[in-house]
Amino acid sequence: MIRLTALVKRYAGAARPAIDSLDLTVAAGEICVLIGPSGCGKTTTMRMINRLIEPDGGTIAVGGRDVTHIDPVELRRGIGYVIQQVGLFPHMTIAANIATVPRLLGWDDARIARRVDELLALVGMEPAVFRERYPRELSGGQRQRIGVARALAADPPVLLMDEPFGAIDPITRARLQDEFLRIQRLLKKTVVFVTHDIDEAIRVGDRIALLRDGRLVQHAAPAEMLAHPADAFVEDFVGADRALKRLSLFACGALARPGRIDGAPEVPAATTARDALALMLGAGLRALNVEGGGVVGLEDFLARDGVAGSGTPPP
């Protein structure tokens, strides 16, 4: 769906290119997270895809079309864009904000109204309650949801997300990540997602592209990157606790074995092994019951190759 080939971007006066011969492919329906140190080129790369920044060399193809041969306005109307600051128009209602691109595309009022209500419901906001409100009447998390809804309004196949949850408190951020993943399971958009947070990258990404000085260091699934970092830089970037981070990739339901422990707490099957381990350590327990049947304990985390060995998720 998105293919970057020998991509180059130079800024005047800079000692080296911001992006230096970057090759990267993002498959259709995949979330590719761009991550790396400040100044590595992740936001520059993403913004070249919709030509907010023009490349100096190489090619960018979206859906098989070279974006440099597409009118920039037409291109951007077909690509959803979500940013950290949201950028809602303060003088317009929530419904009018979501309808921005459909109106530019000439949709009729009835179609727009249906789409607004559909998207409000999709992001978990009751249409009758929120459509006529203004951005100032919403919380930060609600504004971010509207930003996602607006980006999806014209049903674009590609979604670009630049630190979309970076300005949100940790609890709301985790909820928005979950909401985004729920929406993605339904819609299967092709997503390029920029973040500086490795935990967020692991949580939301199908694949992670780690950049350094404008070059691609490693492009891999989260489990692969955590289990087999390409070099010392990757190993240092993902952190010394990468074994614990790997536990966040596995749900208790997938690790549970038959049985039940009387009196032990019960956790939802979707609870990550990392969260379950934290609960066990905090309560001084060695095992927990799992909703729907089964038990999960310390030995399950250690014994499974997918957690303690190869990094391959369990079946």
Side-chain angles (χ1 to χ4, degrees), residues 1-13:
M1 171 56 78
I2 301 174
R3 187 182 298 274
L4 314 181
T5 306
L7 194 62
V8 175
K9 180 62 188 177
R10 300 183 184 89
Y11 290 111

Side-chain angles (χ1 to χ4, degrees), residues 87-94 97 133-137 143 150:
L88 299 179
F89 301 113
H91 61 287
M92 292 167 56
T93 66
I94 298 309
N97 266 281
R133 290 190 181 181
Y134 288 85
R136 64 178 178 274
E137 299 176 85
R143 287 194 295 272
R150 184 174 63 180

Side-chain angles (χ1 to χ4, degrees), residues 25-44:
T25 298
V26 183
E30 176 182 276
I31 302 173
C32 178
V33 177
L34 302 183
I35 194 168
S38 296
C40 70
K42 51 188 182 289
T43 294
T44 296

Side-chain angles (χ1 to χ4, degrees), residues 187-209:
L187 302 183
K188 287 295 182 182
K189 300 296 181 182
T190 303
V191 182
V192 177
F193 188 114
V194 168
T195 183
H196 67 277
D197 184 337
I198 186 64
D199 288 316
E200 181 167 68
I202 292 166
R203 185 171 191 175
V204 307
D206 295 309
R207 293 177 69 81
I208 300 173

Side-chain angles (χ1 to χ4, degrees), residues 59 118 146 166:
T59 61
E118 177 186 350
I146 298 303

Side-chain angles (χ1 to χ4, degrees), residues 163-184:
E163 300 270 10
F165 310 135
I168 305 297
D169 67 86
I171 293 175
T172 304
R173 184 175 188 168
R175 289 174 180 164
L176 287 174
Q177 290 166 350
D178 287 343
E179 190 74 9
F180 165 63
L181 291 172
R182 179 188 66 80
I183 292 169
Q184 175 63 2

